Amino acid sequence: MAVRSHTDSLWRSLGLLPEALAHLHLSERPDPAVNSSFKLGTVAQSSIGLSALAAAHFHQLRTGALQTVHVDARHAVIEFKSEAYYALQGRSNNDNALFEPLAGLYATNNDGHVRIHTNFPHHKQGILNILGCEPSRESVAKALLQWDAVEFETEASSQKAVATALRSFAEWDTHPQAKVLIDTPPVVLIRVGDAPKREAKADAARPLQGIRVLDLTRVLAGPVCGRTLAAHGADVLWITSPSLPALPLLDIDTSRGKRTTQLDLNATKDREQLSYLIRDSDVFLQAYRPAGLANKGFGVEDVARARPGIVYASLTAYGWDGPWKERRGFDSLVQTATGFNVAEAEGYAAFTGAEFEPPRPLPMQALDHAAGYLLAFGIQAALCKTITEGGSWEVRVSLAAVAQWVRSLGRVDPQIAFGEGRPLPPRSMEDEELSRMVVEVPVISAQCEPQKAMKAIRHSAVLSATPVQEGEAPMRLDSHPPQWLPRV
């Protein structure tokens, strides 16, 4: 029962029918599903399971059909690193780094450390401008030794670069942002407007059939959410900016099942096109910093007014209040800032018997993936409410609140965590374990002709009546026009 208590609690916290929980089947001993002192098996199967159960429940409200949902914890933690496990034209993604070479943790003065994120070119240049050094790890390491970790973190934020100081749990707990987040749940659902009840459609073959989703997110958490909604039948239109570079090693995996297009929201014509799309949408998913879209006329009040009954879903790094609410952040940095790197190292040191182990990241971008699935859970819970109650709804998820939830689940004894917990498999589709989880995904070529060219990790959630579908992988961020498909 203890394994299920937190999952059941999250379901009930969003006001969903508790009877539905009987149809969710999870691994009885989810940890250690991977070699970590944190309960990542629990995190993965719970967040994925809640998302899938919410899809099944929405389908039940529309059709009356009941079904069960099964999630295996080991499969779920591997899916939490899906961006590393795909192959194109038979070649596995094992020769490519998912992080730009300069990214990572560096020593600063007074025995401090700071982690920098440089995957986007403008973030990389921002770091180099502050340090005034050459773009090499050696030069960056030397320059950072002249900085205090917190002072560099603050300067990077002021220059719109992305970096964070390494903190322990104890140090994070005294931070003003941590205090603001106390008692903030990982998923928040807020009614933001009135609208008639959604009409249930009795002939929906898939849970989200006919649901239109605008996905205005980048990197992992938001795109994982959009990919999950697409897997349950939604028409997901992934909108990115033509002025931002692509991150193909990540985008390829998270584009599965979506259509992709580009709009420049600094251009009047493209803002008008987005406004047109909003009028016929059901979900507006965005990961801009608080007020970022409101300044362009697409805040939650604007969108709810333009499309009553919409679900407006927002993702941020550190939440909606506090001194860091506008701060940029990615999973690896939030892990570093909130104490996970230090705590994981301490757990590993307890296992090895060493006096000290260097800061140790979690074995995957667990905060990003958990946030993505919890965001999908919240969106589908809100869609359920549009049937049962009506109204327009906002869903809020932040990486820092998800980190707080992960921490609240407790730890795995280090001897069990690192003695029994298996590492993630190698990045090769020839691996025996991976081969049991692989699915073929049609790829849209430059001529927009589907071809069997991609292998990827299939979704770990198994729905008994409406199996998850993969769809096609667009491969590019501009593969489709900015328009909706006809509703089926």
Side-chain angles (χ1 to χ4, degrees):
M1 186 63 182
V3 172
R4 287 290 303 263
S5 61
H6 56 274
T7 306
D8 293 1
S9 177
L10 279 180
W11 180 267
R12 290 189 174 95
S13 73
L14 298 192
L16 297 170
L17 291 177
E19 293 83 358
L21 289 163
H23 302 287
L24 177 61
H25 302 280
L26 305 175
S27 303
E28 292 185 3
R29 187 175 182 263
D31 296 296
V34 69
N35 54 341
S36 172
S37 66
F38 291 91
K39 296 182 177 180
L40 299 184
T42 297
V43 170
Q45 73 163 3
S46 295
S47 56
I48 292 173
L50 285 168
S51 174
L53 185 63
H57 187 51
F58 184 62
H59 188 247
Q60 180 190 350
L61 291 174
R62 302 178 87 188
T63 68
L66 288 170
Q67 61 180 312
T68 58
V69 175
H70 290 78
V71 183
D72 173 75
R74 177 64 176 177
H75 189 164
V77 296
I78 292 173
E79 188 179 358
F80 258 38
K81 201 165 185 174
S82 62
E83 69 276 7
Y85 295 122
Y86 65 85
L88 291 170
Q89 303 290 2
R91 181 176 180 179
S92 295
N93 183 31
N94 58 352
D95 296 325
N96 300 311
L98 295 175
F99 287 95
E100 195 277 333
L102 293 187
L105 193 70
Y106 293 83
T108 59
N109 64 20
N110 299 323
D111 297 322
H113 289 81
V114 70
R115 185 178 296 279
I116 64 173
H117 195 282
T118 53
N119 278 16
F120 284 113
H122 60 293
H123 290 161
K124 174 181 175 180
Q125 191 58 52
I127 294 292
L128 294 175
N129 288 345
I130 295 169
L131 295 176
C133 68
E134 296 297 316
S136 69
R137 290 194 67 88
E138 295 77 11
S139 296
V140 170
K142 182 178 179 180
L144 279 170
L145 286 173
Q146 308 305 311
W147 282 84
D148 172 81
V150 173
E151 289 178 357
F152 185 79
E153 168 190 82
T154 303
E155 180 64 17
S157 179
S158 71
Q159 298 297 325
K160 299 182 179 181
V162 191
T164 191
L166 177 75
R167 291 175 175 82
S168 65
F169 281 153
E171 290 169 328
W172 173 247
D173 289 345
T174 65
H175 194 280
Q177 191 63 33
K179 294 179 180 179
V180 168
L181 289 168
I182 293 174
D183 297 327
T184 300
V187 187
V188 176
L189 194 55
I190 306 167
R191 183 168 178 146
V192 293
D194 294 327
K197 291 182 180 180
R198 178 186 296 274
E199 181 180 352
K201 188 176 181 179
D203 60 349
R206 300 177 65 195
L208 300 184
Q209 181 177 317
I211 297 298
R212 291 170 167 174
V213 179
L214 291 169
D215 179 354
L216 282 76
T217 65
R218 288 303 309 268
V219 196
L220 277 177
V224 163
C225 173
R227 183 184 70 189
T228 303
L229 300 177
H232 292 303
D235 178 13
V236 179
L237 188 59
W238 191 9
I239 299 174
T240 56
S241 170
S243 63
L244 286 177
L247 296 175
L249 297 182
L250 299 177
D251 297 337
I252 287 172
D253 177 63
T254 54
S255 73
R256 285 187 279 152
K258 305 177 187 179
R259 295 181 302 116
T260 63
T261 195
Q262 295 197 310
L263 294 174
D264 181 357
L265 298 188
N266 292 317
T268 300
K269 182 179 178 181
D270 284 5
R271 288 198 303 273
E272 290 173 349
Q273 181 62 28
L274 180 58
S275 297
Y276 176 77
L277 291 167
I278 287 170
R279 291 199 292 269
D280 288 319
S281 64
D282 301 285
V283 176
F284 188 92
L285 169 61
Q286 64 92 17
Y288 285 70
R289 288 174 298 144
L293 278 179
N295 295 334
K296 300 181 184 298
F298 300 108
V300 60
E301 295 85 2
D302 304 306
V303 172
R305 185 165 49 250
R307 173 60 170 93
I310 200 166
V311 174
Y312 189 104
S314 301
L315 173 76
T316 67
Y318 293 103
W320 280 257
D321 299 295
W324 278 20
K325 68 179 182 180
E326 295 286 344
R327 185 160 292 197
R328 294 167 173 80
F330 298 92
D331 178 299
S332 56
L333 276 75
V334 177
Q335 282 190 37
T336 301
T338 59
F340 281 86
N341 292 177
V342 172
E344 188 81 314
E346 290 172 346
Y348 192 64
F351 168 70
T352 62
E355 291 186 10
F356 171 80
E357 290 285 349
R360 186 180 177 93
L362 301 179
M364 76 285 286
Q365 303 290 284
L367 304 184
D368 260 337
H369 282 270
Y373 289 108
L374 290 173
L375 197 57
F377 164 49
I379 288 169
Q380 293 171 116
L383 287 172
C384 290
K385 288 184 177 294
T386 65
I387 291 178
T388 60
E389 302 177 25
S392 302
W393 296 84
E394 182 182 12
V395 181
R396 290 182 172 185
V397 172
S398 74
L399 297 182
V402 170
Q404 182 173 260
W405 173 67
V406 173
R407 183 178 167 189
S408 76
L409 300 178
R411 306 285 292 278
V412 181
D413 179 272
Q415 301 307 316
I416 296 174
F418 299 104
E420 298 180 17
R422 289 178 289 164
L424 290 169
R427 282 193 258 171
S428 169
M429 290 304 177
E430 304 303 317
D431 178 78
E432 181 180 355
E433 182 179 26
L434 282 183
S435 67
R436 298 192 295 270
M437 303 177 185
V438 167
V439 65
E440 285 195 337
V441 181
V443 169
I444 301 298
S445 69
Q447 293 75 35
C448 293
E449 298 173 353
Q451 52 183 277
K452 291 284 185 180
M454 181 179 182
K455 290 185 177 180
I457 298 298
R458 60 179 167 82
H459 291 268
S460 57
V462 179
L463 285 72
S464 61
T466 59
V468 169
Q469 296 185 13
E470 298 294 339
E472 299 172 339
M475 303 297 293
R476 294 170 55 92
L477 295 177
D478 58 355
S479 293
H480 302 86
Q483 61 190 39
W484 292 118
L485 296 174
R487 289 191 193 267
V488 179

